[in-house]
Amino acid sequence: MCSFLRWDGLHVVLLAVSGVNDVLTEFNPDGQGNVIASSRNDREGEGQAHVLIAVATTFESANAAVMYHARKIVAGDNYANNDRKRELEAMMAKDVKAEWMENWYDGLTYCTWNALGQDLTEDKIYNALEILKEKKINITNLIIDDNWQSLDETGVSQFDLGWTDFEANPKGFPKGLKHTATTIRERNPNIKHIAVWHAILGYWGAVSPHGKIAKHYKTKAINKMGGGTFTVVDEPDVDRMYNDFYKFLLTSGIDSVKTDAQFMLDNIADAPDRRRLITAYQDAWAIASLRYFAIKAISCMSQFPQCIFHTQLPTNKPRFMVRNSDDFFPDIPSSHPFHIFTNAHNSLLTSHLNILPDWDMFQTHHEYSAFHAAGRCVSGGPIYITDEPGKHNLDLIAQMTAQTTDGRTIILRPSVIGKTVNVYTAYEEERLLKVGTFVGGQAGTGILALFNVGQRALSELVNLDTFPGVEAGEEYV
């Protein structure tokens, strides 16, 4: 998406639609002030590129117009076969959202990633949860992040490691995943949902050609952009693999997933493989998530064009969570202001998708903890903490949450997705980042959060009409 403020005060928004009939369309600068639309057709026959343009008196009006028409375009795409369509329609008719939305969206979540490191074991998880209990941090959801899976462990980096088996690795989880999940639930009755991490292709290095998974499902060696290959479960068996894997997770006490590294689908080098696999994996993941977990799922590293338009824009399934930016990097100081800035601007696009933007986890004992906490509280999305055991800012957690009459802890989040109100302000400008949102209905309240993402102290006059929901001619106190 590109947007320009024209000389006459009108806003021009351009949207390149991708993922329809295997055509990718992107905007690129030519170095001379022009915007170039370029397209790639992965089919053997002729394809059609879609570029939408809207002009309006406000950015949001033009933005909404192109997104509305994009939704009509993708609705005509062959996004799923007839059996999948019928299953999606039947599940939507059951209103699957009612059974999970409250806890999954509104419960405080703990993630193991930055908290427990990459050498993950069940004992480390038990210990971290016990400390949370001692500190009276009442989480509702637990995410068991990367490094629980069984891998071939023959590579140098994580991108060389392939997935071998559905069961958890025996070194860290010697009694199996079901035992771990059962123990967690027995000791922590406040935890309603347990999620596990996995990559869209299995792991960062996809599937090991020598493991149990490769023996049970048809696989194929795929060329990667930039060189190298990886082994993936091939298109004829993708549905069956996802069905079997999620059935295994559910019977093991896991009722939600965090599916990461989805950009790997966009990293496939050869057009025939992209044509066969990109859509197949997206559809298999979406329908299996809905079938087994009612889309208690988090889609991560999935902001590539084909996924945005094929999976995240259509309204043929309940809304699900999508990571709205890059990761939280606790040890890179310069990343923290940019993280908030990026999320606030990305939400200009993602607020029009059929998703709930996820601003990622953060640590409450960190130098930038209050900065991140404020961002999460106005994001309209979930709140995950990834505190190292015993290192918690209890006051900060109390500011982000509230206790219900039945003893549950819920997060405090507005009813509208937060996004920047200054569309054209660059990160390098010495201006305050203003994130606007709203809570309540017609008589609700506008919220405006101010963030200094620069390197020095700033002061600005903020007009009353900057607040969302403020109307001209009304009086405000």
Side-chain angles (χ1 to χ4, degrees):
M1 174 184 287
C2 298
S3 179
F4 302 91
L5 181 59
R6 215 163 63 177
W7 61 270
D8 57 359
L10 295 179
H11 298 258
V12 182
V13 173
L14 296 80
L15 182 68
V17 180
S18 293
V20 177
N21 296 325
D22 301 305
V23 173
L24 169 71
T25 303
E26 299 175 316
F27 293 130
N28 293 289
D30 68 350
Q32 300 178 14
N34 299 308
V35 175
I36 306 298
S38 57
S39 294
R40 183 189 71 200
N41 179 15
D42 283 340
R43 294 193 177 184
E44 295 178 351
E46 291 185 358
Q48 185 177 38
H50 297 272
V51 174
L52 303 176
I53 304 173
V55 180
T57 56
T58 68
F59 164 79
E60 193 51 47
S61 295
N63 189 23
V66 293
M67 296 303 294
Y68 174 80
H69 284 281
R71 191 171 287 111
K72 290 172 36 175
I73 291 173
V74 301
D77 185 33
N78 185 23
Y79 62 86
N81 61 36
N82 289 331
D83 290 338
R84 283 174 175 162
K85 288 179 181 178
R86 284 192 290 268
E87 185 170 7
L88 283 170
E89 290 168 358
M91 291 179 178
M92 286 291 283
K94 293 179 182 178
D95 190 18
V96 298
K97 291 184 285 187
E99 69 180 77
W100 57 269
M101 184 173 180
E102 183 178 4
N103 287 334
W104 184 240
Y105 280 176
D106 295 338
L108 181 64
T109 300
Y110 184 77
C111 182
T112 64
W113 177 239
N114 296 114
L116 304 182
Q118 297 189 28
D119 186 17
L120 189 62
T121 68
E122 61 178 16
D123 288 335
K124 287 184 178 181
I125 297 173
Y126 299 154
N127 177 63
L129 295 177
E130 188 63 32
I131 292 174
L132 289 175
K133 188 190 304 181
E134 292 172 0
K135 299 291 185 181
K136 294 183 170 50
I137 301 174
N138 191 21
I139 65 169
T140 300
N141 308 310
L142 170 68
I143 300 173
I144 300 175
D145 214 296
D146 192 359
N147 293 293
W148 69 272
Q149 292 169 282
S150 293
L151 309 172
D152 54 18
E153 300 185 355
T154 58
V156 177
S157 76
Q158 63 184 13
F159 290 96
D160 300 319
L161 305 182
W163 189 31
T164 60
D165 190 8
F166 292 165
E167 185 57 87
N169 76 77
K171 180 180 178 181
F173 303 82
K175 296 182 180 180
L177 185 61
K178 184 173 183 178
H179 174 267
T180 301
T182 301
T183 303
I184 289 171
R185 293 185 187 276
E186 289 175 348
R187 296 180 183 179
N188 305 272
N190 54 295
I191 295 179
K192 305 302 181 185
H193 302 298
I194 302 176
V196 293
W197 179 101
H198 71 89
I200 189 75
L201 297 177
Y203 199 66
W204 296 102
V207 171
S208 169
H210 311 296
K212 289 184 179 179
I213 293 171
K215 293 178 182 178
H216 283 87
Y217 305 98
K218 177 179 173 60
T219 61
K220 188 175 190 295
I222 301 295
N223 293 320
K224 296 188 290 185
M225 291 184 181
T229 64
F230 47 30
T231 299
V232 304
V233 173
D234 202 9
E235 185 269 336
D237 278 357
V238 172
D239 276 334
R240 184 167 68 89
M241 185 274 289
Y242 261 97
N243 188 72
D244 293 346
F245 179 39
Y246 281 8
K247 184 185 295 183
F248 163 79
L249 292 180
L250 194 62
T251 57
S252 299
I254 304 300
D255 66 352
S256 37
V257 288
K258 174 183 175 181
T259 306
D260 207 341
Q262 298 198 30
F263 73 92
M264 292 163 64
L265 295 171
D266 193 40
N267 199 32
I268 297 173
D270 299 326
D273 291 330
R274 289 195 300 268
R275 186 170 66 241
R276 293 168 56 255
L277 296 175
I278 291 180
T279 299
Y281 268 91
Q282 289 182 71
D283 289 345
W285 174 78
I287 194 68
S289 298
L290 184 57
R291 181 184 295 143
Y292 291 100
F293 308 133
I295 297 202
K296 293 190 295 294
I298 308 168
S299 174
C300 290
M301 292 191 180
S302 57
Q303 289 182 319
F304 61 97
Q306 302 95 313
C307 191
I308 289 173
F309 290 99
H310 182 80
T311 302
Q312 298 169 12
L313 181 63
T315 56
N316 61 322
K317 54 187 169 295
R319 184 170 66 165
F320 61 99
M321 291 190 212
V322 171
R323 171 76 67 74
N324 202 47
S325 70
D326 205 343
D327 289 8
F328 163 74
F329 296 109
D331 300 324
I332 304 177
S334 62
S335 71
H336 302 295
F338 189 66
H339 186 95
I340 302 298
F341 181 91
T342 300
N343 274 284
H345 281 75
N346 283 356
S347 290
L348 296 170
L349 170 67
T350 56
S351 62
H352 288 273
L353 305 179
N354 188 30
I355 67 163
L356 187 69
D358 165 19
W359 288 29
D360 200 19
M361 68 192 87
F362 74 102
Q363 294 176 326
T364 68
H365 65 282
H366 192 271
E367 178 185 0
Y368 280 87
S369 60
F371 198 77
H372 280 285
R376 304 312 187 275
C377 285
V378 296
S379 72
I383 296 180
Y384 315 143
I385 60 173
T386 183
D387 293 349
E388 297 174 38
K391 296 181 179 180
H392 313 288
N393 186 332
L394 300 181
D395 290 338
L396 187 62
I397 292 174
Q399 293 176 51
M400 298 187 296
T401 60
Q403 301 299 312
T404 65
T405 55
D406 59 358
R408 293 180 298 116
T409 299
I410 59 171
I411 63 172
L412 300 175
R413 66 183 186 91
S415 46
V416 173
I417 293 170
K419 51 192 174 185
T420 180
V421 300
N422 296 126
V423 179
Y424 303 107
T425 302
Y427 182 67
E428 294 77 13
E429 294 184 45
E430 293 188 331
R431 296 277 303 279
L432 293 175
L433 170 66
K434 304 177 184 70
V435 180
T437 184
F438 196 85
V439 63
Q442 187 173 0
T445 302
I447 299 173
L448 187 70
L450 307 179
F451 297 89
N452 185 355
V453 295
Q455 300 297 313
R456 67 181 184 88
L458 296 175
S459 61
E460 287 186 27
L461 292 175
V462 179
N463 295 329
L464 182 61
D465 60 6
T466 307
F467 282 76
V470 169
E471 296 181 5
E474 297 290 333
E475 293 186 0
Y476 297 88
V477 178

